[in-house]
């Protein structure tokens, strides 16, 4: 006889996926590299204060951290960071150069040393000196990298150049010992890529008000024997053409990913290699992201696709791409290659992100690091569906649907489940279709989740991205609402039990949805933008300080639009209960945004809670924070939707 499955109301299903388990598996490996025959990467450590460590996989297959706690390998350049480490093989083993998060100094370290030694000084001015994309140039005795230097106390008092840091430590207390390779003609630059013969360097640059996915310039300079850059010139890109990445082929040809056709495709010395309506690049949120890597054979490893990206090998002579076989359906924008070995980071709806190695000669792919381990019975994992909905004016809306799923429970006949609409951050980004235990935390309890890749999301070409131009707070809100209502109309979700949730730009969309629609019964708003006027006139960091000119319009021309779109200006329209979560160290979406909004909500009698977290910035990294946030969110839904989740602390809501 089979065991009977109990019938329990949606939202009350017992689940082995608790908040601590979800927090322990948050984050992914990143910044992969090959150091000789070893594979290295950075990895999250939520239980260790949210630091990122550097991990090496030795040739015998064993993994070990390169640096012990409290060393935190993470850059703050443009606040979202950049590749924070590099390693160079010497006769006595690897020499590692890395950025330490706490002081943002560059350090050099040989595994086995007592401790790392600083290469750069601490600056008392503003945000100090910050570094990204280090590249050890042993022939010059230097590390070439991006330098972000604050010249005052304001977020815009900053300059960025390419710089050379002496490896001998002579700049550890002397800023003047750092050699600048470029002037500061451009506001933003990426790290230099050196041609195989060492005679040319290529990098990307852009200026306000553009974001890198709007338009960048590909610059090439001659490199003299003494390591100086000369005759820098723009060879591709511009205000309406985004170059996402550049590198050199083994024969010295210049490779780059450009969206000049409306899709990020690969080019070799200006000629298209594989013209397709799919992406071979993406939004450059972090310096050093890589969507392609040239191989010694002349082939090119690529992360490409429409929607979800795959890992493949491109033959530039034929334009043919052969994808790696394996269970992975999503790859991150981090690649490394040496010889014919390719290292990437892949995941799927049934497995978390893991480090994957592809042999370009055989086509064989295997997991070599951070292997997925089923923390619970996979029967409790979400079972996603890829959906395309129809929005206003008949436009397509891409979404991932995660229905309630628990093998040990069934819902009463006739009951429809509550659903939470998830709006991703960015907004120029997308939700990947991968195993996420935060989603499983809800679906295994009987609460559905729908991730909406609203108009403006990446992965579907520039035209889809441009839907959000001057329409932020309109198109994103409409698309999320269209998905929510479609789910209700088709009998998938309970119309009376819909919620909206998002962080950062997704927090904006969630708050704007509560202020401008009557679709949702409640919402969770995480480190959000709430006041466009404040955020667009000095309350955020330099990188995104002019972002609103494309998302809303130039402030000088349309100041009323900034007021009309801001939830903080229309608190009287918010009537649904909400949860607000905020890191107190957030300089991208600072706490003042939440405080201003809450001051205007005071006395209106709308149930809400505001939880703040010391030591957290933009994006929660500490296990304790994530546990508290998840349990509070579930408690909000329980109280509003009339659910009975077991063992969850009750969130106190005040009016």
């Amino acid at each position: 006889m089979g065991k009977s499955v109990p019938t329990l109301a949606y939202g009350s299903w017992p689940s082995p996926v608790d908040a601590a388990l979800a927090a322990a598996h948050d984050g992914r490996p990143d910044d992969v590299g090959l150091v000789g025959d070893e594979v290295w990467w950075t990895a999250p450590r939520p239980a260790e204060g949210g630091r990122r460590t550097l991990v090496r996989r030795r040739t015998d297959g064993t993994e070990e951290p390169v640096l012990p706690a409290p060393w935190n390998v993470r850059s703050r350049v443009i606040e979202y960071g950049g590749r924070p480490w590099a390693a160079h093989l010497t006769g006595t083993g690897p020499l590692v150069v890395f950025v330490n998060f706490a002081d943002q100094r560059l350090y050099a370290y040989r595994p086995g040393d007592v401790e790392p030694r600083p290469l750069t000084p601490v600056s008392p001015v503003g945000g100090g000196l910050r570094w990204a994309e280090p590249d050890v140039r042993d022939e010059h005795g230097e590390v070439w990298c991006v330098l972000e230097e604050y010249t005052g106390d304001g977020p815009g008092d900053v300059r960025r150049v390419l710089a050379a840091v002496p490896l001998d430590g002579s700049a550890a207390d002397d800023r003047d010992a750092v050699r600048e390779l470029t002037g500061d003609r451009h506001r933003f630059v990426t790290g230099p890529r050196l041609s195989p013969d060492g005679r040319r360097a290529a990098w990307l640059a852009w200026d306000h008000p553009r974001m890198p996915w709007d338009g960048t310039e590909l610059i090439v300079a001659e490199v003299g024997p003494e390591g100086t850059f000369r005759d820098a010139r723009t060879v591709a890109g511009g205000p309406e053409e985004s170059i996402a990445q550049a590198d050199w082929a083994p024969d010295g040809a210049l490779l780059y990913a450009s969206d000049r056709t409306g899709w990020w495709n690969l080019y070799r010395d200006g000629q298209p290699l594989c013209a397709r309506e799919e992406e071979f690049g993406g939004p450059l949120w972090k310096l050093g992201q890589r969507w392609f890597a040239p191989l010694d054979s002349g082939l090119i490893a690529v992360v490409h696709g429409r929607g979800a990206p795959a890992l493949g090998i491109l033959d530039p002579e034929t334009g043919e791409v052969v994808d790696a076989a394996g269970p992975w359906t999503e790859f991150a924008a981090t690649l490394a290659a040496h010889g014919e070995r390719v290292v990437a980071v892949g995941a799927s709806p049934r497995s978390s992100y893991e480090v994957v190695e592809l042999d370009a000669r055989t086509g064989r792919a295997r997991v070599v690091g951070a292997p997925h381990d089923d923390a619970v019975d996979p029967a409790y994992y979400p079972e996603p569906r890829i959906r395309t909905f129809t929005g206003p004016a008949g436009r397509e809306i891409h979404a991932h649907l995660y229905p309630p799923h628990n093998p040990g429970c069934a819902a009463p006949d006739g009951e429809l489940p509550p659903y939470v609409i998830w709006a991703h951050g960015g907004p120029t980004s997308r939700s990947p279709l991968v195993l996420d235990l935060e989603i499983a935390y809800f679906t295994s309890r009987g609460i559905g989740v729908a991730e909406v890749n609203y108009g403006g999301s990446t992965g579907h070409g520039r035209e889809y991205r441009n839907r959000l131009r001057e329409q932020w707070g309109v198109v994103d809100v409409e698309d999320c609402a269209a998905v929510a209502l479609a789910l209700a109309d088709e009998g998938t979700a309970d119309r009376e039990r819909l919620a909206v949730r998002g962080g950062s730009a997704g927090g904006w969309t969630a708050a704007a949805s509560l202020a401008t629609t009557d679709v949702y019964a409640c919402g969770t708003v995480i480190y959000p933008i709430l006041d466009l006027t404040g955020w667009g006139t000095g309350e955020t960091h330099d990188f995104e300080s002019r972002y609103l000119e494309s998302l809303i319009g130039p402030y000088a021309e349309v100041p009323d639009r900034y007021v009309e779109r801001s939830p903080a200006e229309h608190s009287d329209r918010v009537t649904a209960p909400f949860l607000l979560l905020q890191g107190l160290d957030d300089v991208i979406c600072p706490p003042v945004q939440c405080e201003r909004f809450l001051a205007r909500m005071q006395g209106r009698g709308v149930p809400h809670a505001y939880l703040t977290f010391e030591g957290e910035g933009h994006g929660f990294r500490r296990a304790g924070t994530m546990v508290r946030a998840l349990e509070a969110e579930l408690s909000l839904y329980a109280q509003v939707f009339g659910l009975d989740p077991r063992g969850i602390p009750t969130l106190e809501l005040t009016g």
Side-chain angles (χ1 to χ4, degrees):
M1 296 288 291
K3 191 166 80 171
S4 62
V5 175
T7 298
L8 296 171
Y10 286 117
S12 63
W13 298 349
S15 170
V17 184
D18 61 17
L21 188 71
H25 290 79
D26 188 75
R28 62 173 173 82
D30 203 353
D31 307 306
V32 294
L34 283 155
V35 182
D37 292 329
E38 297 184 356
V39 180
W40 293 34
W41 64 92
T42 62
R45 293 290 185 264
E48 297 177 21
R51 78 179 183 107
R52 289 195 73 88
T53 190
L54 184 59
V55 177
R56 68 190 293 189
R57 179 190 186 272
R58 293 186 176 273
T59 54
D60 63 4
T62 58
E63 289 182 20
E64 62 183 45
V66 176
L67 293 154
W71 296 101
N72 188 352
V73 184
R74 181 178 156 215
S75 169
R76 282 189 62 186
V77 166
I78 69 168
E79 291 302 344
Y80 291 107
R83 186 176 176 87
W85 73 276
H88 174 68
L89 279 181
T90 69
T92 56
L95 170 67
V96 186
V97 174
F98 70 95
V99 180
N100 182 49
F101 181 74
D103 56 14
Q104 288 299 292
R105 299 172 84 181
L106 268 181
Y107 286 80
Y109 179 67
R110 296 179 186 274
D113 286 356
V114 175
E115 63 180 19
R117 56 184 178 86
L119 298 180
T120 57
V122 173
S123 170
V125 179
L129 300 172
R130 302 176 181 181
W131 315 84
E133 290 197 80
D135 181 16
V136 180
R137 308 310 309 177
D138 197 44
E139 68 274 21
H140 298 292
E142 296 174 326
V143 182
W144 292 3
C145 51
V146 174
L147 162 61
E148 181 177 82
E149 180 173 26
Y150 280 79
T151 58
D153 292 331
D157 299 328
V158 62
R159 60 193 295 268
R160 298 175 185 88
V161 298
L162 301 182
V165 176
L167 275 169
D168 62 9
S170 57
D173 297 304
D174 183 7
R175 165 63 181 85
D176 292 338
V178 175
R179 186 168 65 90
E180 296 191 8
L181 298 168
T182 63
D184 53 4
R185 181 167 69 94
H186 292 287
R187 188 72 168 188
F188 302 96
V189 292
T190 64
R193 303 294 297 179
L194 206 59
S195 63
D197 61 8
R199 296 180 180 179
R200 291 177 294 167
W203 65 94
L204 306 181
W206 67 97
D207 296 284
H208 284 318
R210 285 176 281 154
M211 299 301 286
W213 42 86
D214 296 325
T216 55
E217 295 178 31
L218 172 53
I219 299 175
V220 173
E222 306 300 318
V223 180
E226 68 283 7
T228 56
F229 287 11
R230 303 191 301 260
D231 303 324
R233 62 199 184 279
T234 298
V235 300
E240 300 296 328
E241 179 185 356
S242 170
I243 311 292
Q245 181 194 336
D247 210 332
W248 302 91
D251 63 0
L254 182 59
L255 304 171
Y256 57 89
S258 164
D259 75 344
R260 62 182 59 158
T261 66
W263 299 85
W264 275 300
N265 281 188
L266 282 185
Y267 294 80
R268 174 187 169 99
D269 287 338
Q271 298 301 309
L273 292 180
C274 183
R276 297 185 181 185
E277 290 192 347
E278 60 179 70
E279 307 284 33
F280 289 76
L284 194 68
W285 279 102
K286 174 181 167 183
L287 304 187
Q289 288 180 287
R290 302 195 74 193
W291 292 268
F292 71 87
L295 308 181
D296 288 351
S297 62
L299 301 175
I300 306 170
V302 292
V303 169
H304 73 107
R306 188 165 182 161
L311 173 65
I313 300 295
L314 167 64
D315 184 339
E317 300 301 322
T318 66
E320 180 184 7
V321 180
V322 178
D323 288 338
W328 314 282
T329 56
E330 184 95 24
F331 281 87
T334 179
L335 278 181
H338 179 68
E340 299 305 303
R341 296 174 65 198
V342 179
V343 180
V345 174
S348 80
R350 307 296 292 176
S351 60
S352 53
Y353 284 103
E354 46 196 3
V355 181
V356 177
E357 182 180 303
L358 171 63
D359 186 329
R361 294 166 300 186
T362 65
R364 180 172 178 259
R366 62 188 180 118
V367 176
V368 295
H372 170 77
D373 180 32
D374 289 320
V376 296
D377 186 340
Y380 289 91
Y381 291 165
E383 296 186 344
R385 303 169 189 170
I386 300 173
R387 295 283 302 271
T388 301
F389 295 87
T390 301
R395 63 179 182 250
E396 289 187 341
I397 307 167
H398 302 288
H400 303 146
L401 194 64
Y402 298 87
H405 175 71
N406 185 315
C409 294
D413 290 340
E415 183 183 358
L416 293 177
Y419 258 81
V420 184
I421 305 299
W422 283 26
H424 63 70
T428 309
S429 184
R430 58 181 289 271
S431 295
L433 187 64
V434 301
L435 176 63
D436 184 341
L437 292 186
E438 279 198 14
I439 293 177
Y441 179 76
F442 294 104
T443 57
S444 62
R445 286 172 168 74
I447 300 172
V449 171
E451 293 183 311
V452 182
N453 284 315
Y454 47 80
S457 301
T458 55
H460 301 280
R462 184 184 271 264
E463 183 180 350
Y464 196 86
R465 295 203 311 275
N466 283 350
R467 288 185 187 177
L468 215 55
R469 279 190 172 273
E470 299 194 359
Q471 295 298 309
W472 196 37
V474 178
V475 166
D476 50 324
V477 170
E478 289 178 347
D479 286 1
C480 288
V483 171
L485 293 175
L487 293 176
D489 289 344
E490 71 186 26
T492 297
D494 185 341
R495 174 64 184 87
E496 303 304 315
R497 296 194 292 177
L498 297 173
V500 64
R501 177 247 220 209
S504 187
W508 154 270
T509 300
S513 297
L514 295 177
T516 60
T517 79
D518 61 358
V519 172
Y520 308 102
C522 62
T524 301
V525 182
I526 309 169
Y527 38 84
I529 300 166
L530 295 169
D531 173 14
L532 293 177
T533 301
W535 200 82
T537 56
E539 285 182 359
T540 191
H541 62 144
D542 184 59
F543 176 59
E544 292 179 276
S545 62
R546 305 281 295 278
Y547 194 7
L548 296 185
E549 292 192 28
S550 62
L551 293 174
I552 304 295
Y555 180 72
E557 298 176 16
V558 290
D560 291 346
R561 192 182 294 168
Y562 281 61
V563 174
E564 179 57 33
R565 300 262 184 96
S566 294
E569 296 287 347
H570 301 289
S571 60
D572 58 308
R573 300 178 185 173
V574 177
T575 59
F578 63 88
L579 168 63
L580 199 52
L581 303 168
Q582 178 68 48
L584 293 178
D585 292 349
D586 194 339
V587 298
I588 296 174
C589 295
V592 67
Q593 290 268 313
C594 293
E595 293 160 5
R596 190 176 299 135
F597 176 73
L598 290 171
R600 294 171 181 175
M601 290 293 302
Q602 190 171 6
R604 292 202 47 249
V606 178
H608 67 275
Y610 179 44
L611 303 183
T612 60
F613 302 95
E614 292 186 2
E616 292 283 14
H618 198 66
F620 299 153
R621 296 173 180 273
R622 300 180 176 184
T625 301
M626 290 184 276
V627 169
R628 178 75 177 107
L630 268 179
E631 291 182 340
E633 183 177 356
L634 179 57
S635 180
L636 171 72
Y637 304 149
Q639 294 178 59
V640 174
F641 295 156
L643 312 179
D644 182 25
R646 302 167 189 187
I648 303 299
T650 299
L651 174 70
E652 182 178 351
L653 298 174
T654 60

